[in-house]
Amino acid sequence: MKTVLAFLKPYKLPAVVAFLLMLIELTVELMLPFFLGKMINEGVVNQDIDTIMMWGVIMIGLAFIAFIAGIINSFYSSHVGWGFAHDIRKKLFAKIQAFSFANLNQYPTSGLMTRFTNDVRQIQNTIYMILRIMSKAPLLVIGGVIMAFVVNARLALIFLITVPILVGFILWVLKRASGLFNKIQNSIDKVNRVMQENLSGMRLIKAFSRRNHEETRFTEANKTLANRTRYTFRFIESSMPVLLFVMNLSLIFIIWFGNLQTISGTTSVGDVVAIINYAMRVAMSISMFTFIIMGISRMKASADRVDQVLNVDVDLKDHDEADSSLRVKQGFITFDHVSFIYPGTTKSVLSNVRFSVNPGERLAVIGSTGSGKTSLFQLIPRLYDATEGEIRIDHRPTTDYTLDNLRRSIGYVPQSPLLFTGTVAENIAWGKEHASTKEIIHAAKDAQIHDAIMELDNQYQTKVGQKGVNLSGGQKQRISIARALIRNPKILMLDDSTSALDLTTESKLLHAMESYECTTLLITQKISTAMRADRILLIDEGKVLAIGTHEELLHSSSLYQRIVTSQFGKEYANVE
Ligand code: CTP
Ligand code: MG
């Protein structure tokens, strides 16, 4: 909770103002029964209209002051609450932007979303309530008891018995409840997660006709949430009758004992009325404890969860020795004895990988599925760091560059293209800040997507739905290629990005890419594509089996021969 609460610092002044205003309200509330007693004793009992009027005006005036103080207080309290929530969200967002892939694996999207929405709102509401009413309740209990003693110490003695009982009881209830709230929060997370997966996989679910399975999964998560919530709230609610019972008993006692004293003349009617009034206010405040501590324990659970994210160790950041003036100039890539294991796993995905790519060279990476091609790619822009060995660009370790400079020089087309909500033009321009229309069209033409875009209803202004549903797989691939090309990168990396293209289009694309002065790495499954590269890297089970031209590999690598045979037939491989 500490990290989150530190965000309150800039709001110290408005918080203090809100607190002082609350104290005004509190004072008025504590004075009213006292004055009411006086009005009865001096005015009503003596039938003195002037005194009644005087106390009446004083009380109305005080109530009015409290009313105004209350309004201004809620203004300041909500200012603190909103501002505070805004700051946390901002910080959370920035933090998640800095997350490495490994960090993202650790926190699923649904969990992050709940933190942004539910948790932040919970904290915000509680902060508001604390400033507005929560801090008043305990003070009112203490103040009420003291005032009751001032009015009539003998009658007030009953408070010494009831107040500790009630407070003790409520604290016991809440101690149990706080654990229950943690469980509720976890269930909310679960429901969100199931829902999120369901929504993003809706098409797949329909295609596989897995509706029932999904429904069962959701129903279970939902039921657990409902059960836990019900149990917790029932438990808390059941404390209410106990509270009311003790409170009513003490009221009966005050009235009974007060009556006896009034008859014997040791106490005045006004005192009894005032004490009853205090008793009710004190009891009300104590009953609010449930609500207060409930709010605070929920806030604590939420704040701890937000803290978790804010305190995550981002394992991938600029190294201290990174030189911010260092830029990638040529695009010379070296893998020097690189091994890689995904964080949190033990399986070696890449082992002892060694190769270099010259500036401007085109290297095709070929290998069976799961052989580590994507993993190899991800190490270059430092989406993950190598476990062993070193990757150098232009003869400098990648860690010498700032992440920003390194990634800016790279055009990366991931294996599964992701488009953002927005127009086609915006999606392409996403690759380069302030890209002009001319640049967008140029990149689109090179990516062989221009013609297809021109056939869309609104051409470049066509809206791409969430994740680009209204485009074909190949179109999405090419838009994300255009997005990479528009950067004019020094290093261009295509992860199986031409898989959905027909041969002619692919050929045109490869040709157009030649006009870019960059080192190109492209993962492909097709020998026909690989052949058009300067060299081919053959990878299997995380090891580089061979690197060289098509002809070289054909002679040196039996695996390569087998792949060629499987795609072109036996004759081809033999003839070569
Ligand atoms: N892997 C992993 N954790 C990830 C991604 C991958 O442990 N977050 C493992 C996979 O189990 C796989 C190996 O890393 O065995 C290599 O994965 P990858 O590099 O993605 O393989 P590719 O060669 O890219 O396979 P494909 O052609 O199917 O894309
Ligand atoms: Mg892959």
Side-chain angles (χ1 to χ4, degrees):
M1 192 148 81
K2 257 196 208 145
T3 318
V4 164
L5 289 187
F7 282 90
L8 273 178
K9 255 195 200 141
Y11 299 98
K12 234 189 234 161
L13 187 66
V16 168
V17 172
F19 187 76
L20 291 178
L21 288 163
M22 185 277 294
L23 285 183
I24 295 180
E25 276 186 288
L26 173 77
T27 316
V28 170
E29 247 182 86
L30 287 175
M31 292 318 287
L32 283 180
F34 183 74
F35 290 153
L36 182 70
K38 278 216 171 306
M39 182 167 97
I40 293 171
N41 286 345
E42 295 170 14
V44 180
V45 174
N46 303 334
Q47 296 193 336
D48 178 350
I49 295 292
D50 286 346
T51 315
I52 295 177
M53 284 294 281
M54 179 190 78
W55 285 117
V57 169
I58 290 178
M59 280 159 69
I60 291 173
L62 282 177
F64 186 71
I65 292 175
F67 171 69
I68 299 290
I71 290 179
I72 309 178
N73 168 292
S74 67
F75 173 78
Y76 278 102
S77 304
S78 59
H79 170 73
V80 175
W82 278 106
F84 176 71
H86 165 266
D87 293 356
I88 295 180
R89 273 196 295 263
K90 190 167 141 192
K91 190 69 194 250
L92 261 180
F93 192 78
K95 180 78 186 194
I96 293 170
Q97 302 309 301
F99 263 25
S100 71
F101 275 33
N103 293 138
L104 285 171
N105 292 343
Q106 198 183 346
Y107 291 95
T109 321
S110 56
L112 293 177
M113 281 310 290
T114 342
R115 284 172 173 87
F116 260 99
T117 51
N118 191 41
D119 286 336
V120 172
R121 195 174 49 238
Q122 193 72 51
I123 303 171
Q124 174 192 331
N125 285 348
T126 313
I127 295 277
Y128 171 79
M129 291 310 248
I130 287 176
L131 289 173
R132 184 77 197 89
I133 33 182
M134 286 181 176
S135 48
K136 196 160 74 182
L139 294 177
L140 203 95
V141 172
I142 299 170
V145 172
I146 294 175
M147 285 307 289
F149 272 92
V150 171
V151 172
N152 187 313
R154 283 174 66 184
L155 274 179
L157 280 175
I158 184 73
F159 284 85
L160 291 188
I161 303 167
T162 50
V163 171
I165 292 180
L166 288 178
V167 171
F169 172 69
I170 289 285
L171 289 182
W172 173 78
V173 168
L174 290 163
K175 201 166 165 229
R176 278 207 58 193
S178 72
L180 295 173
F181 277 118
N182 269 335
K183 283 192 180 160
I184 292 187
Q185 202 54 48
N186 288 339
S187 305
I188 294 180
D189 242 17
K190 180 88 187 285
V191 169
N192 282 351
R193 190 162 62 235
V194 173
M195 197 59 220
Q196 172 128 21
E197 282 176 13
N198 180 280
L199 287 179
S200 57
M202 188 56 88
R203 286 171 190 77
L204 197 66
I205 293 164
K206 285 195 193 300
F208 271 72
S209 193
R210 294 288 284 177
R211 220 179 103 183
N212 288 343
H213 170 79
E214 284 296 305
E215 261 171 25
T216 326
R217 228 158 67 100
F218 181 77
T219 313
E220 252 165 50
N222 201 16
K223 215 194 268 164
T224 316
L225 172 61
N227 286 343
R228 283 184 177 168
T229 317
R230 194 177 307 133
Y231 180 77
T232 309
F233 279 86
R234 270 198 191 146
F235 175 70
I236 289 174
E237 294 298 331
S238 60
S239 65
M240 266 325 226
V242 178
L243 220 82
L244 284 174
F245 179 69
V246 177
M247 173 180 146
N248 286 334
L249 271 189
S250 63
L251 283 184
I252 291 171
F253 174 83
I254 295 171
I255 293 171
W256 175 68
F257 196 65
N259 185 33
L260 286 185
Q261 288 197 338
T262 328
I263 292 169
S264 67
T266 42
T267 303
S268 55
V269 184
D271 287 4
V272 179
V273 173
I275 299 259
I276 288 178
N277 215 306
Y278 280 124
M280 278 168 48
R281 282 173 200 261
V282 167
M284 286 272 286
S285 300
I286 293 178
S287 74
M288 277 204 16
F289 278 24
T290 347
F291 162 71
I292 295 170
I293 304 193
M294 212 159 82
I296 292 182
S297 61
R298 292 185 90 165
M299 168 168 111
K300 186 175 177 307
S302 288
D304 284 345
R305 286 153 44 85
V306 172
D307 264 17
Q308 249 177 14
V309 172
L310 289 180
N311 292 331
V312 160
D313 221 4
V314 175
D315 49 0
L316 262 169
K317 42 187 172 217
D318 289 340
H319 276 211
D320 293 338
E321 59 270 22
D323 177 358
S324 59
S325 62
L326 191 64
R327 301 283 146 92
V328 177
K329 294 215 174 62
Q330 296 170 292
F332 191 95
I333 306 170
T334 317
F335 271 66
D336 187 359
H337 296 91
V338 172
S339 297
F340 177 58
I341 300 171
Y342 276 101
T345 67
T346 50
K347 193 181 122 199
S348 186
V349 174
L350 295 174
S351 26
N352 212 7
V353 171
R354 283 179 63 198
F355 68 91
S356 311
V357 195
N358 296 317
E361 195 183 0
R362 184 182 287 175
L363 180 80
V365 178
I366 196 163
S368 58
T369 162
S371 54
K373 304 182 295 294
T374 301
S375 312
L376 182 109
F377 265 33
Q378 288 177 342
L379 297 183
I380 298 174
R382 285 190 68 209
L383 297 176
Y384 290 100
D385 269 338
T387 322
E388 265 173 60
E390 193 172 69
I391 296 157
R392 290 188 288 270
I393 293 184
D394 294 349
H395 312 287
R396 297 283 295 260
T398 44
T399 46
D400 277 6
Y401 299 87
T402 60
L403 281 174
D404 203 40
N405 283 342
L406 175 68
R407 292 176 185 169
R408 260 172 209 283
S409 65
I410 296 175
Y412 186 21
V413 187
Q415 195 161 8
S416 38
L418 176 86
L419 301 187
F420 296 91
T421 327
T423 64
V424 170
E426 279 164 2
N427 263 288
I428 297 177
W430 196 83
K432 185 184 179 186
E433 281 161 88
H434 317 298
S436 67
T437 317
K438 217 172 121 196
E439 284 174 301
I440 294 174
I441 295 178
H442 185 70
K445 279 188 174 153
D446 285 342
Q448 311 300 319
I449 184 70
H450 177 72
D451 294 342
I453 294 174
M454 294 314 279
E455 279 171 25
L456 296 173
D457 285 346
N458 294 313
Q459 281 115 33
Y460 278 87
Q461 297 313 317
T462 308
K463 286 251 189 294
V464 180
Q466 226 180 10
K467 292 191 181 171
V469 253
N470 44 13
L471 291 177
S472 79
Q475 286 168 339
K476 276 191 262 182
Q477 274 189 340
R478 278 172 289 159
I479 289 183
S480 60
I481 293 175
R483 179 196 287 161
L485 290 180
I486 202 171
R487 303 180 80 123
N488 236 326
K490 283 283 159 243
I491 298 171
L492 179 64
M493 304 201 297
L494 306 168
D495 189 344
D496 218 0
S497 312
T498 56
S499 58
L501 304 188
D502 60 81
L503 288 178
T504 338
T505 316
E506 186 186 25
S507 176
K508 281 192 202 153
L509 171 71
L510 291 175
H511 181 73
M513 272 164 39
E514 275 163 20
S515 63
Y516 287 79
E517 269 178 36
C518 61
T519 312
T520 309
L521 298 172
L522 72 119
I523 292 176
T524 176
Q525 306 282 357
K526 290 184 275 187
I527 295 288
S528 58
T529 313
M531 273 166 67
R532 299 193 50 164
D534 298 311
R535 280 190 302 160
I536 298 167
L537 178 101
L538 180 63
I539 182 169
D540 193 44
E541 287 182 1
K543 294 188 190 69
V544 175
L545 288 193
I547 182 166
T549 62
H550 173 68
E551 278 75 25
E552 282 167 6
L553 291 198
L554 210 46
H555 289 117
S556 64
S557 165
S558 58
L559 176 62
Y560 191 74
Q561 277 171 13
R562 281 206 299 281
I563 301 173
V564 173
T565 316
S566 70
Q567 292 188 14
F568 290 147
K570 221 172 173 62
E571 304 73 32
Y572 180 85
N574 287 337
V575 169
E576 286 288 319

